């Protein structure tokens, strides 16, 4: 799960990580009032969307006074912000964060992720603040300092010192950076974060260390022990098809092609997308109906796939294991009758009771094309799309 | 011979009184698997599918000589269940549970470091040695006794591969789902080593997917240590970047972990890479030169 910058900063502050002072606004009036509350001087107005690259896209502006904050907030709220992460369609801005302007002496980077290879969280720091870390990793990997954390003990002060002095900070600034890293890690651990990025982490002219930006993602599997986190979810940031799918516990991801897919199991669902591509067409979605592909789930899945106007045909690929193909077939027939399918459907059933399932489909009177092998199914669906 | 589970495997099912635990216990027994005990704290003394239930794994091991565990415990309690099995001296722990927090699995792996247990999973279909023991949720009938070892990060895609092998007359020595999570008990390498040493295994099918670098590490390992033919397929060649494809571990993060990178690394190590998921069985037929 992803959250907004202002929400991440609130979490960080609760762990004692210094951030600039500021508040979130949904209207220009609110933005002006916040700027006044911050002393009436220079403030930064920052668009709150989940994607990165907001500055380059025109979503982050400096305002000299509260009046200018009012004006800029008026322009940014409601704008369609396009960044390299939003895709060309962009993202509508609903909120802005209004923060005090600071005297920045140095821009650095700090990040924490779980390193899958070593099975440890890794705290990273770099002198290249403000840059995309992937770019730094590709071009000058030596500029990324890494400390791997033993989770039984947590990040140790010496590791934080390695990072602070490794960045070339003066002893006075390092003295502030060390507790900064320690608190950052504590927040990461306590909230079951899967990713945390402070980019940039800044040193001010008077030697203070603050999180100027903040990004936090969370481990979806750990939500059961964080009842406060789901409240931070902003569904306007998500693909509407995916939001709809999540209501029915369907694993769904919208893609650009025009062959809708319904598959049981994530690996087989990916493989089905791949074979559609090999047959010369492109998948419209990833959809795992899960182990319990019953009539109700199939119906929801059908509605979801068919609500996408780009879908010209549907490929259903079910490998029956514990789930019996005849049950799935019955579910497909029932759902198709209810939903009123208008595009060609190719169904491939394999595994437990596949024959019985195919028979049910053939006798349904509905216009299904049945295949028994994977390749045959992909070729059939590609042929009807052309 | 086979690997991980065989005639001598005596299985304890943790979470046996739950819906899934009880259902699959019956399926495994029907296949001929020796399920000797179940564990659900507080339900000791009961019976499920004719199997005695105990309060602790230690008790199940002491009373029934259990040496393999099959776990269906819900995600919030699964890490504890794995550690309990390891502490009781269970040799092979197979965890089916999906949805265990990543940090919990890191703690589990640390805990297992000085134990003599091997963990398979979590978030996997389990392990089957065809004709001998089914310790998981896979459909038994698609398997056939034989000499191909199968290792996979997926569930139903593994069934697909197995069915392609069986229909071409290629039976399996043992099939293992290693799990779709970012942190798992047994990576490809650990099992490739066992298959290489297993005299009953002639060839190996390795099914990977996007995310992480386990396939690249396996490629390097195979090049140096595996002499048996290896066939591989990587799912997610058309997956977009930055999106989690169902499995918690199936994500291209920061441009890393793409199917292309993995397929290139595998091909460079001399592995037979099937581009299409429909060609896994046929590629193995060719690799064996039969």
């Amino acid at each position: 799960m992803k959250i907004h910058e202002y929400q991440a900063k609130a979490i960080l502050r609760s762990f004692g990580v210094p951030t600039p002072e500021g508040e979130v606004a949904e209207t220009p009036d609110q933005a002006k009032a916040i700027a006044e509350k911050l002393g009436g001087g220079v403030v930064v107005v920052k668009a709150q969307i989940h994607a990165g690259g907001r500055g380059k896209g025109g979503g982050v502006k400096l305002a000299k006074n509260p009046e200018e904050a009012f004006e800029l907030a008026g322009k940014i709220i409601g704008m369609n912000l396009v960044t390299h992460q939003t895709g060309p369609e962009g993202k509508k801005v609903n909120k802005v964060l209004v923060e005090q302007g600071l005297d920045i002496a140095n821009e650095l980077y700090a990040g924490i992720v779980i390193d899958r290879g070593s099975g440890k969280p890794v705290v990273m720091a770099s002198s290249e603040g403000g840059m995309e870390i992937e770019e730094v990793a590709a071009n000058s990997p030596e500029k990324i300092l890494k400390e791997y954390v033993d989770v039984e003990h947590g990040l140790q002060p010496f590791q934080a010192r390695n990072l602070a002095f490794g960045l070339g900070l003066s002893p006075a600034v390092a003295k502030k950076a060390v507790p900064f890293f320690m608190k950052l890690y504590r927040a990461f651990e306590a909230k079951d974060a899967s990713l945390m990025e402070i980019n940039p982490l800044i040193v001010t002219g008077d030697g203070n260390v603050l999180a100027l930006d903040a990004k936090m993602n969370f481990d979806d599997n750990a939500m059961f022990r964080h009842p406060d986190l789901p409240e931070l979810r902003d569904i306007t940031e998500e693909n509407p098809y995916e939001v709809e799918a999540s209501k029915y516990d369907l694993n769904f991801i919208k893609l650009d092609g025009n062959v809708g897919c319904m598959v049981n199991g994530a690996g087989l669902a990916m493989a089905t997308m791949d074979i559609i591509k090999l047959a010369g067409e492109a998948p419209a979605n990833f959809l795992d109906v899960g182990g319990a592909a019953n009539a109700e789930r199939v119906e929801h899945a059908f509605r979801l796939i068919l609500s996408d106007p780009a879908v010209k045909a549907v490929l259903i690929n079910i490998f029956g294991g514990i789930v019996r193909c005849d049950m799935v077939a019955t579910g497909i027939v029932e759902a198709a009758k209810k939903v009123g399918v208008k595009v060609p459907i190719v169904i491939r059933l394999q595994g437990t009771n596949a024959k019985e399932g195919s028979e049910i489909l053939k006798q349904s009177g509905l216009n299904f094309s049945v295949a028994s092998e994977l390749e045959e199914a992909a070729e059939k669906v590609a042929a009807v799309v052309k | 011979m086979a690997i991980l589970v065989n005639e001598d495997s005596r299985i304890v099912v943790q979470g046996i009184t739950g819906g899934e635990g009880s259902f699959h216990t019956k399926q495994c027994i029907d296949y001929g698997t020796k399920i000797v005990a179940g564990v659900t704290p507080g339900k000791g003394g009961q019976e499920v599918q004719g199997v005695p239930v105990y309060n602790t794994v230690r008790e199940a091991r002491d009373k029934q000589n259990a040496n393999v565990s099959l776990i269906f415990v819900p995600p919030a309690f699964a890490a504890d269940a794995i550690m309990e099995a390891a502490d009781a001296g269970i040799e092979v722990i197979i965890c089916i549970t999906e949805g265990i927090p990543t940090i919990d699995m890191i703690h589990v792996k640390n805990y297992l470091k000085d134990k003599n247990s091997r963990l398979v999973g979590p978030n996997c279909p389990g392990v089957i040695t065809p004709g001998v023991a089914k310790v998981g949720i896979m459909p038994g009938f698609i398997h056939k006794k034989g000499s191909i070892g199968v290792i996979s990060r997926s569930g139903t895609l593994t069934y697909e591969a197995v069915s392609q092998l069986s229909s071409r007359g290629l039976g399996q020595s043992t099939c293992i789902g290693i799990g779709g999570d970012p942190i798992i008990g047994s990576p490809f390498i650990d099992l490739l080593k066992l298959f290489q040493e297993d005299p009953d295994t002639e060839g190996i099918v390795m099914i990977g997917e996007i995310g992480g670098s386990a396939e690249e590490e396996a490629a390097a390992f195979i090049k140096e240590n595996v002499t048996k033919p290896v066939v591989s397929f990587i799912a997610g060649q058309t997956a977009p970047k930055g999106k989690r494809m169902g499995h918690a571990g199936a994500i291209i993060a920061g441009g890393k972990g793409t199917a292309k990178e993995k397929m290139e690394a595998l091909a460079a190590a001399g592995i037979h890479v099937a581009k299409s998921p429909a060609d896994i069985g046929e590629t193995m037929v060719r690799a064996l030169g039969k």
Side-chain angles (χ1 to χ4, degrees):
Chain A
M1 192 187 91
K2 294 177 180 180
I3 59 170
H4 287 294
E5 173 194 4
Y6 76 91
Q7 296 166 321
K9 282 179 168 168
I11 291 174
L12 291 178
R13 278 194 293 274
S14 72
F15 284 85
V17 177
T19 70
E21 277 180 52
E23 279 174 48
V24 74
E26 289 178 52
T27 65
D29 281 319
Q30 286 174 359
K32 188 181 169 193
I34 295 164
E36 278 162 358
K37 215 168 120 188
L38 291 171
V42 175
V43 293
V44 188
V45 182
K46 305 178 84 177
Q48 297 295 290
I49 59 168
H50 284 179
R54 293 169 295 162
K56 278 182 200 154
V60 179
K61 301 277 187 199
L62 213 60
K64 287 190 216 73
N65 51 51
E67 283 69 33
E68 226 180 89
F70 177 89
E71 247 176 67
L72 289 170
K75 282 182 189 155
I76 296 173
I77 296 170
M79 85 183 279
N80 195 49
L81 185 53
V82 179
T83 81
H84 67 285
Q85 284 185 8
T86 60
E89 69 277 14
K91 202 94 230 171
K92 190 177 169 239
V93 181
N94 296 317
K95 292 174 184 171
V96 291
L97 174 61
V98 182
E99 279 189 341
Q100 61 177 151
L102 292 167
D103 164 28
I104 300 171
N106 197 359
E107 292 195 24
L108 309 166
Y109 169 95
I112 309 178
V113 292
I114 305 274
D115 178 65
R116 290 167 65 158
S118 61
K120 288 178 173 176
V122 54
V123 184
M124 297 177 288
S126 165
S127 55
E128 308 295 288
M131 300 238 320
E132 289 254 357
I133 198 68
E134 287 86 11
E135 230 170 276
V136 181
N139 301 325
S140 37
E142 73 286 353
K143 286 185 176 158
I144 301 176
L145 308 172
K146 290 181 178 177
E147 288 293 328
Y148 292 85
V149 182
D150 177 346
V151 296
E152 312 309 330
H153 301 283
L155 183 73
Q156 297 300 303
F158 77 86
Q159 294 183 296
R161 290 198 298 276
N162 285 347
L163 294 172
F165 289 110
L167 287 169
L169 301 177
S170 71
V173 175
K175 212 171 169 180
K176 293 194 166 154
V178 168
F180 184 96
F181 286 125
M182 300 290 289
K183 288 167 185 167
L184 207 59
Y185 180 77
R186 235 167 274 147
F188 179 89
E189 183 187 41
K191 292 291 177 186
D192 276 297
S194 55
L195 175 145
M196 191 185 259
E197 255 188 336
I198 309 299
N199 193 18
L201 177 173
I202 58 156
V203 181
T204 59
D206 51 4
N208 281 311
V209 175
L210 294 97
L212 194 66
D213 194 5
K215 179 177 172 182
M216 270 182 106
N217 295 352
F218 302 96
D219 181 354
D220 293 330
N221 287 348
M223 286 299 153
F224 66 83
R225 58 188 172 213
H226 300 287
D228 54 322
L229 289 179
E231 285 168 26
L232 302 181
R233 181 175 171 200
D234 179 355
I235 58 165
T236 65
E237 286 287 328
E238 299 171 29
N239 180 293
Y241 291 104
E242 293 170 22
V243 172
E244 187 65 18
S246 68
K247 286 183 198 161
Y248 309 112
D249 274 327
L250 295 167
N251 262 314
F252 182 93
I253 290 163
K254 177 83 184 75
L255 302 168
D256 298 331
N258 43 31
V259 178
C261 310
M262 192 194 303
V263 188
N264 66 330
L268 191 60
M270 280 189 272
T272 304
M273 287 160 46
D274 294 346
I275 202 165
I276 289 170
K277 185 85 178 195
L278 287 170
E281 291 302 323
N285 64 276
F286 163 93
L287 172 60
D288 170 12
V289 285
N294 57 29
E296 201 194 344
R297 289 174 73 90
V298 170
E299 187 184 327
H300 288 308
F302 248 136
R303 284 188 196 280
L304 199 64
I305 292 172
L306 297 171
S307 64
D308 176 0
V311 169
K312 290 194 184 143
V314 178
L315 173 55
I316 301 178
N317 183 17
I318 302 289
F319 202 107
I322 301 312
V323 183
R324 290 175 7 225
C325 287
D326 53 331
M327 276 180 62
V328 177
T330 307
I332 291 171
V333 172
E334 275 174 38
K337 280 180 183 161
K338 262 194 208 167
V339 179
V341 185
K342 293 193 179 63
V343 295
I345 298 193
V346 178
I347 304 174
R348 185 262 182 151
L349 299 175
Q350 197 43 277
T352 313
N353 293 4
K355 262 188 202 152
E356 292 84 341
S358 300
E359 221 28 62
I360 291 169
L361 294 174
K362 280 174 191 159
Q363 288 171 4
S364 67
L366 293 164
N367 192 20
F368 296 128
S369 173
V370 181
S372 63
E373 291 306 319
L374 191 51
E375 196 161 2
E376 181 195 350
E379 278 164 6
K380 277 190 173 168
V381 81
V384 295
V385 169
K386 274 179 192 133
Chain B
M1 264 284 287
I3 69 169
L4 300 178
V5 296
N6 55 33
E7 296 80 0
D8 303 324
S9 299
R10 296 176 62 82
I11 288 102
V12 50
V13 177
Q14 291 176 257
I16 194 167
T17 54
E20 252 198 289
S22 145
F23 175 80
H24 288 290
T25 294
K26 175 157 193 319
Q27 301 288 319
C28 292
I29 291 172
D30 289 349
Y31 193 80
T33 312
K34 283 178 210 148
I35 308 277
V36 299
V39 169
T40 298
K43 302 209 170 160
Q46 297 184 6
E47 265 193 12
V48 172
Q49 313 286 0
V51 174
V53 180
Y54 299 94
N55 288 317
T56 66
V57 178
R58 188 172 296 175
E59 212 183 332
R61 191 221 39 205
D62 288 348
K63 301 253 168 72
Q64 301 293 342
N65 286 320
N67 56 8
V68 173
S69 159
L70 176 60
I71 300 180
F72 291 101
V73 172
F77 315 103
D80 179 56
I82 297 169
M83 293 191 278
E84 182 186 0
D87 183 70
I90 299 294
E91 292 153 31
V92 176
I93 304 168
I94 298 164
C95 184
I96 307 299
T97 310
E98 175 176 4
I100 305 176
T102 306
I103 203 83
D104 292 12
M105 279 312 300
I106 294 177
H107 284 294
V108 165
K109 288 210 60 162
N110 286 343
Y111 186 84
L112 293 180
K113 267 177 198 156
D114 60 354
K115 297 282 185 294
N116 293 319
S117 305
R118 181 186 298 278
L119 171 66
V120 175
N123 190 11
C124 77
V127 181
I128 182 169
T129 292
V132 178
K134 169 176 125 80
V135 191
I137 61 173
M138 65 290 282
F141 78 94
I142 59 169
H143 298 82
K144 205 178 146 187
K145 204 174 163 91
S147 60
I148 306 297
V150 179
I151 322 171
S152 170
R153 279 169 70 181
S154 164
T156 45
L157 180 55
T158 316
Y159 311 162
E160 171 72 42
V162 165
S163 140
Q164 288 179 26
L165 291 169
S166 294
S167 71
R168 284 165 180 78
L170 296 175
Q172 305 88 42
S173 51
T174 301
C175 304
I176 305 143
I178 60 173
D181 279 358
I183 307 284
I184 52 170
S186 298
F188 286 124
I189 292 179
D190 295 13
L191 303 166
L192 285 165
K193 191 164 176 276
L194 296 182
F195 274 134
Q196 171 65 21
E197 289 163 1
D198 174 31
D200 290 349
T201 299
E202 267 183 73
I204 304 164
V205 171
M206 183 175 103
I207 299 171
E209 62 190 30
I210 54 160
S213 55
E215 291 81 1
E216 286 89 333
E217 285 145 29
F221 178 84
I222 291 167
K223 198 172 179 187
E224 296 299 321
N225 305 289
V226 179
T227 55
K228 298 174 182 179
V230 180
V231 167
S232 186
F233 172 75
I234 305 294
Q237 296 165 38
T238 48
K241 289 179 181 171
K243 289 275 190 180
R244 223 166 271 286
M245 306 301 282
H247 289 155
I251 181 166
I252 300 169
K256 288 276 167 200
T258 63
K260 190 167 176 282
E261 285 174 288
K262 292 173 188 295
M263 290 162 76
E264 283 169 4
L266 291 164
I271 293 150
H272 306 265
V273 180
K275 230 181 147 190
S276 162
D279 291 342
I280 300 169
E282 209 45 49
T283 308
M284 182 49 93
V285 171
R286 280 201 303 274
L288 290 170
K290 280 184 179 170

